[in-house]
Amino acid sequence: MIDPKIIKKEFPVFKNNSNLVYLDSANTSLTPQIVIHKLVEYYENYPANIKRGIYSLSERATAEFEETRKVIASFINAKNKKEVIFTRGTTESINLVAYSLGRKIVNENDEVVVSVLEHHSNFVPWQVLAQEMGAVFKVIDINDEGILTIVKDNSSEVSLDDVITKKTKILALAYISNVLGTVNPLKEIIKKARQINPHIVVVVDAAQAVAHRQVDVQDLDCDFLAFSAHKMFGPKGAGILWGKEQRLEEMFPFQYGGEMIEQVKIEKTTFAKLPEKFEAGTPSIADVTAFKEAVKLIQKLGFSNIQKHEKDLVKKARAQLLHIFGKDINIYGPQNEFSSIVTFNLKGLHPHDVASLLNDKHVCIRAGHHCTMPLHTRFGIPASCRASFSIYNNEDDIEALIKGLLTARKLLTHA
Ligand code: PMP
């Protein structure tokens, strides 16, 4: 069972901001003391560079850094820890694949496929890649509920066979939408995509999934998986690209420089093996080191408890919002999908005004297009309000949100 009152004590931000109602964890999660402690431990005890020093300090830093790789590999069920590449986050991970693999395998008239609900960081790199290579950029639509039209049983006429062809080189999809909370049935989609085209490369944006559900890369059978530490209670500035070993082997390096080489000669340079081939320069050592503590926290709480807690809150939040605002609220996303996100608009009120007035009550939500302009265009709206829930939220937070929204409506409609 998750007890937010106990969990809150592990997040110092609540001690330092006594009235804080934080409903923006889909943007970035808060940081627990154990992670902060590990960050400080690195800087206070072994702030050396990794893999470069024949002395104890550097050896300790390297061991701590590499331990995170092991923890992550087991967390996502990677076959081998060398398939785990440290990056700055989801955005860098996806750009890495678009650059290092995309430019190698995508040719003129090939196809690159994404969906309309993607975050810009899983949309724009593919759009630009397709433009540069003269490939066709295909965008899978959603229905009005926010479910991909290719998903069976959503009464759409479209199927994956209409989208994926033998010319499709890349299929890049989010596991969970950062706006609608839609959970894409990726396992079935990937299986079907591989039946249509066995050579397809599947890239999964798992930024919104890893803190909320078990992600198993072997079970999904994707080729790449990208996520960020900061959305799962880890430090800002560290992220993961997991890739199947064979795929990573065939790719160009992403950046050239220190630690990613094998031999440098005036005539020619050869590159290091995995994972160093993709980790040029000095990485964010403290962030990577502390990341494992966040994973351990999630593992200690357990995904079934986390999911149940978040679903209960989202269900209640949606029901209460509908009850109180009725026809004056539009809630977006699948009605029966209760992930951790509630996105809505109050009729006639601009999301930025709403968020700003909520801030006066110490309620933090996100307002805007949430880096999903194509999705907002699909719904014919410029922006929306998003409340997202996590392990430290409870029903008091829903109450604070609703009270704040009632005040905002009163102030804005009488302004
Ligand atoms: N994909 C999704 C689904 C996201 O929600 C986000 C962050 N909002 C990103 C990608 C980008 O993550 P980051 O900013 O950590 O690179």
Side-chain angles (χ1 to χ4, degrees):
M1 283 282 283
I2 302 269
D3 184 343
K5 281 217 170 83
I6 294 175
I7 289 179
K8 264 188 169 158
K9 293 200 176 111
E10 298 183 29
F11 289 76
V13 66
F14 290 111
K15 220 171 27 204
N16 300 322
N17 299 269
S18 55
N19 296 319
L20 179 64
V21 176
Y22 189 74
L23 294 173
D24 200 18
S25 295
N27 184 354
T28 193
S29 53
L30 302 175
T31 319
Q33 187 65 62
I34 39 159
V35 170
I36 299 168
H37 175 78
K38 200 74 184 173
L39 288 167
V40 174
E41 181 192 278
Y42 166 76
Y43 283 109
E44 285 187 349
N45 294 283
Y46 45 96
N49 212 332
I50 53 164
K51 304 177 187 179
R52 290 161 171 84
I54 316 291
Y55 46 84
S56 308
L57 234 54
S58 173
E59 279 160 11
R60 170 101 193 264
T62 306
E64 288 281 356
F65 184 90
E66 286 303 320
E67 177 63 19
T68 299
R69 204 186 305 273
K70 238 164 72 189
V71 168
I72 296 290
S74 143
F75 181 61
I76 57 172
N77 194 28
K79 264 194 184 147
N80 193 316
K81 67 182 166 58
K82 64 183 173 188
E83 295 177 327
V84 173
I85 313 293
F86 292 121
T87 63
R88 283 192 305 124
T90 311
T91 305
E92 187 172 274
S93 299
I94 295 169
N95 275 276
L96 193 164
V97 182
Y99 179 86
S100 297
L101 186 71
R103 278 160 184 78
K104 194 161 189 179
I105 64 167
V106 175
N107 298 304
E108 207 173 342
N109 298 326
D110 283 341
E111 295 161 357
V112 177
V113 179
V114 301
S115 89
V116 76
L117 59 68
E118 301 308 314
H119 186 281
H120 294 162
S121 57
N122 198 34
F123 191 97
V124 183
W126 305 118
Q127 185 183 42
V128 170
L129 172 72
Q131 277 165 1
E132 277 182 18
M133 309 313 280
V136 180
F137 183 58
K138 285 185 174 174
V139 182
I140 299 168
D141 200 4
I142 48 175
N143 66 10
D144 290 342
E145 250 204 284
I147 299 172
L148 296 181
T149 49
I150 52 159
V151 171
K152 273 191 297 194
D153 307 328
N154 79 352
S155 67
S156 154
E157 298 293 304
V158 184
S159 86
L160 203 60
D161 300 273
D162 303 314
V163 184
I164 306 290
T165 73
K166 291 271 187 285
K167 283 183 160 288
T168 310
K169 287 285 168 70
I170 290 168
L171 170 65
L173 289 177
Y175 202 150
I176 300 183
S177 156
N178 64 315
V179 176
L180 307 170
T182 312
V183 182
N184 289 326
L186 281 188
K187 195 174 164 184
E188 293 94 275
I189 294 175
I190 294 170
K191 191 169 167 213
K192 181 95 195 282
R194 293 207 188 286
Q195 282 163 1
I196 304 167
N197 178 353
H199 302 294
I200 196 165
V201 173
V202 181
V203 182
V204 173
D205 173 354
Q208 294 294 340
V210 276
H212 309 284
R213 57 171 47 222
Q214 189 67 56
V215 175
D216 180 328
V217 288
Q218 293 190 58
D219 186 52
L220 276 181
D221 192 25
C222 51
D223 294 277
F224 295 96
L225 187 96
F227 57 100
S228 305
H230 73 95
K231 291 193 197 278
M232 48 188 292
F233 318 114
K236 328 289 180 211
I240 300 294
L241 172 67
W242 168 86
K244 276 185 182 162
E245 186 178 344
Q246 187 209 332
R247 291 284 183 211
L248 291 168
E249 291 287 5
E250 71 193 48
M251 284 157 70
F252 298 125
F254 182 45
Q255 292 181 329
Y256 299 90
E259 291 304 309
M260 56 72 67
I261 51 85
E262 182 186 53
Q263 279 216 324
V264 181
K265 294 191 178 155
I266 290 178
E267 307 76 46
K268 183 178 161 59
T269 294
T270 52
F271 304 115
K273 301 210 173 338
L274 294 174
E276 281 81 13
K277 173 180 160 188
F278 293 106
E279 293 178 358
T282 300
S284 210
I285 303 169
D287 298 329
V288 169
T289 293
F291 187 4
K292 60 178 166 291
E293 302 303 323
V295 175
K296 289 180 198 164
L297 171 70
I298 290 175
Q299 286 170 329
K300 193 174 90 185
L301 295 171
F303 276 117
S304 57
N305 292 327
I306 293 174
Q307 263 186 342
K308 181 177 178 327
H309 176 71
E310 292 173 349
K311 273 190 184 182
D312 283 353
L313 285 176
V314 164
K315 235 177 177 165
K316 282 181 186 143
R318 272 210 225 162
Q320 290 183 31
L321 285 167
L322 279 173
H323 176 69
I324 292 181
F325 294 100
K327 287 203 173 81
D328 289 339
I329 193 165
N330 273 331
I331 300 184
Y332 306 99
Q335 278 172 24
N336 296 317
E337 191 85 78
F338 298 104
S339 51
S340 62
I341 290 168
V342 186
T343 294
F344 59 93
N345 267 322
L346 288 179
K347 283 195 185 135
L349 308 189
H350 196 287
H352 288 151
D353 294 336
V354 173
S356 163
L357 287 166
L358 284 175
N359 177 52
D360 293 345
K361 307 276 179 203
H362 314 284
V363 179
C364 310
I365 64 157
R366 174 107 192 251
H369 54 64
H370 322 299
C371 301
T372 57
M373 284 173 119
L375 174 61
H376 279 74
T377 305
R378 166 67 181 75
F379 281 119
I381 49 172
S384 57
C385 298
R386 180 186 67 190
S388 49
F389 294 84
S390 187
I391 51 174
Y392 29 70
N393 295 116
N394 62 16
E395 290 179 26
D396 295 347
D397 298 334
I398 300 176
E399 203 181 307
L401 171 68
I402 288 179
K403 264 193 184 159
L405 290 174
L406 285 168
T407 309
R409 182 168 69 172
K410 206 164 155 190
L411 289 171
L412 291 169
T413 45
H414 291 93

